[in-house]
Amino acid sequence: MQPKRIAKDASGCLWFGTSSVLTKYNPKEDELNLNEPLMSFTGLSLFYEKPDWTSLADSIEPWTNMPYHLSLPYSKNHLTFSFIGVNHRAPTGVRYKFMLAGADTSWSKETEKTEITYSNLSPGKYIFKVMARNNDGVWNKNPLTYSFEIRYPWYRTWLAYFLYFVSGKTFLYLFIRYRTKKLE
């Protein structure tokens, strides 16, 4: 039903009238929602599936099934993070921004999405961070974080580089010896 009349009285209240209803809106009674949303992870998936994390992590958080101290091999580098920000006053007004420290250089734009996928991650250490804001623009003071690592393949470890160096030096030494013997 569309209002037929709108009026503002001396105290600043707005009155909306239709043929059957009169409604008063007092802006002084509006309260800002100063409570930041309560953040929580709701899941983590690998290649869009829920794997058994026991072989890849120290332990598993029982409520959300999030692994603690996750260490993935270089071939398992496609992760989807699921999260939620709870705001009881206006649940549909919650917005998010996130970043993956170690891959992203800045926070994402605001979104209402509650999951994000990172694919083809390079080996290294990462920290996923997510923040939420409520319907009145109050952001979390501290982002929700989750750290994990993707291990380097064996041929990119320090031990492999050391072996490459020793092999190269040995090859060079043997080559010089061979050439010297041939020249003599």
Side-chain angles (χ1 to χ4, degrees), residues 18-170:
T18 65
S19 59
S20 61
V21 176
L22 181 64
T23 304
K24 175 185 173 185
Y25 168 72
N26 185 352
K28 293 176 186 169
E29 292 178 8
D30 256 352
E31 293 180 19
L32 284 177
N33 182 3
L34 300 177
N35 298 322
E36 58 186 54
L38 300 172
M39 291 292 302
S40 177
F41 285 111
T42 57
L44 178 66
S45 58
L46 181 65
F47 291 104
Y48 302 111
E49 294 180 1
K50 302 284 185 194
D52 179 15
W53 296 112
T54 53
S55 65
L56 301 168
D58 291 348
S59 60
I60 309 297
E61 201 279 319
W63 185 258
T64 61
N65 201 34
M66 292 289 286
Y68 289 120
H69 303 111
L70 182 64
S71 180
L72 298 168
Y74 70 97
S75 60
K76 297 188 183 292
N77 58 0
H78 186 99
L79 293 169
T80 301
F81 294 91
S82 302
F83 45 86
I84 191 74
V86 179
N87 175 15
H88 295 292
R89 187 175 289 182
T92 59
V94 178
R95 297 293 179 266
Y96 306 93
K97 60 183 178 179
F98 44 81
M99 75 178 296
L100 184 61
D104 297 334
T105 56
S106 62
W107 288 91
S108 69
K109 293 183 179 180
E110 272 186 46
T111 182
E112 56 189 41
K113 293 182 352 179
T114 59
E115 97 175 8
I116 182 66
T117 299
Y118 288 95
S119 60
N120 202 24
L121 291 170
S122 300
K125 294 187 179 196
Y126 296 95
I127 301 173
F128 177 71
K129 301 176 184 181
V130 61
M131 294 177 68
R133 73 158 177 85
N134 68 14
N135 57 307
D136 285 327
V138 176
W139 286 95
N140 293 99
K141 290 177 182 61
N142 299 314
L144 182 65
T145 62
Y146 181 78
S147 57
F148 64 98
E149 82 169 317
I150 297 177
R151 295 186 307 269
Y152 284 91
W154 67 268
Y155 54 85
R156 288 187 58 199
T157 62
W158 287 109
L159 177 59
Y161 289 133
F162 176 73
L163 292 175
Y164 300 150
F165 177 75
V166 170
S167 299
K169 285 285 203 179
T170 303

